[in-house]
Amino acid sequence: MKRVLISACLAGFNTKYNGGHNYNEIFADMVKKGKAVPFCPEQAGGLTTPRNPSEITGGDGRDVLEGKARVITDKGEDVTEAFIRGAEEALKLAKLIGADTAILKSRSPSCSTKCVYDGTFSGTLRDGMGVTAAYLKAHGVKVIDSSHFIER
Ligand code: SF4
């Protein structure tokens, strides 16, 4: 059976920046049945939980990977390198488990596949992908937004 990678917070793991999760039974069930393997790129990249919220400034995840944009916390810390490390670890795990698909949390600066906050911490969204989503996609992993299964 082919397994998929899934944002850990969707399955109920307390990996969110504020120490919370985005539990949904649909995703937890995928993990329970061995269909999905949970992973949090921000934790894997070396960031703490809880941690300060981050947004991409100057572009989206693709721009971060090209060195044209940075990931900055609301306190002004530059966490770009941790985000890139987390993306690399996500790909490593996808290869290890033979996953060619990842189900990723909407609106996250790491995981989003559709839109990200614009770096102003004002709740404004812009089109674009998170860093891990962009990295996985660039390496041939199909990325599916969690909102495809359920809107949150
Ligand atoms: Fe969830 Fe991804 Fe954020 Fe980790 S980085 S808490 S998996 S959305």
Side-chain angles (χ1 to χ4, degrees), residues 93-112:
L93 180 58
K95 285 182 174 169
L96 197 62
I97 65 171
D100 56 14
T101 302
I103 299 169
L104 300 173
K105 172 71 180 72
S106 314
R107 299 188 296 272
S108 155
S110 289
C111 290
S112 182

Side-chain angles (χ1 to χ4, degrees), residues 4-13 15 27-28 30-32 34-41 93 97 103:
V4 304
L5 204 62
I6 193 165
S7 297
C9 56
L10 294 172
F13 291 90
T15 54
F27 304 121
M30 288 180 185
V31 174
K32 200 172 175 181
K35 295 178 179 171
V37 175
F39 182 76
C40 175
L93 180 58
I97 65 171
I103 299 169

